[in-house]
Amino acid sequence: MWKGPSYPLRSGEYGLFETKTDCDLIQGNILQILGTYRGERVMLPLFGSWVRDFVHDPTDDVTLRLLRVEIVDAIKMWEPRVVLLEARLQGVPEKFEVHAHLRYRLNGTDEEKTFSLTIDRKGGVSLWQG
């Protein structure tokens, strides 16, 4: 079982940070990885991804393929607790959004999880509120 601060950071009981466990923690970490621009963290300059570079590109097949590669590579590098099984991307050109549907397995288990996120011009990377 894993336990850590929630993402985004929120206050919890007694003025301490709210904590998350297992899949909620991992999903928050994936959002943090994809939403953090490489070079943004001074002491860890390679952390993050180039996902935000794609928010102003057209949502065509080429962009979706490049974005998928960036998502898969970033998760493989920075979230060792999961094995990414599938990453499907769907462009929504009229909203200038991309929906990414991720399916992963927790390392050392047979437990599979899925979640979806949105990449857009307004908020960057966030959970998809379909």
Side-chain angles (χ1 to χ4, degrees):
M1 181 167 115
W2 299 292
K3 187 174 183 177
S6 67
Y7 179 81
L9 288 175
R10 295 184 198 111
S11 62
E13 290 187 66
Y14 312 111
L16 302 173
F17 291 120
E18 178 183 61
T19 59
K20 297 283 184 181
T21 58
D22 297 332
C23 292
D24 291 333
L25 177 66
I26 289 171
Q27 289 177 6
N29 287 348
I30 290 173
L31 285 172
Q32 186 175 15
I33 292 163
L34 299 179
T36 301
Y37 196 72
R38 285 202 184 152
E40 189 173 331
R41 289 194 175 179
V42 176
M43 300 302 287
L44 197 55
L46 296 179
F47 179 82
S49 69
W50 300 115
V51 166
R52 291 186 350 209
D53 280 353
F54 293 92
V55 298
H56 294 289
D57 291 349
T59 53
D60 59 9
D61 286 341
V62 173
T63 302
L64 293 178
R65 286 181 187 154
L66 291 170
L67 183 56
R68 183 187 179 283
V69 168
E70 182 59 30
I71 289 170
V72 169
D73 287 350
I75 292 172
K76 281 182 181 178
M77 181 168 190
W78 294 107
E79 187 48 82
R81 296 174 288 191
V82 302
V83 175
L84 194 59
L85 302 172
E86 181 180 22
R88 287 184 296 111
L89 275 65
Q90 174 185 5
V92 186
E94 61 277 2
K95 291 185 175 182
F96 303 103
E97 291 179 349
V98 172
H99 296 161
H101 308 281
L102 306 176
R103 185 169 61 95
Y104 62 90
R105 185 178 67 238
L106 298 175
N107 262 340
T109 71
D110 292 331
E111 187 177 2
E112 289 186 15
K113 297 289 182 178
T114 61
F115 81 107
S116 299
L117 50 94
T118 299
I119 302 160
D120 64 16
R121 293 179 182 179
K122 295 177 282 182
V125 181
S126 58
L127 281 177
W128 182 40
Q129 306 296 320

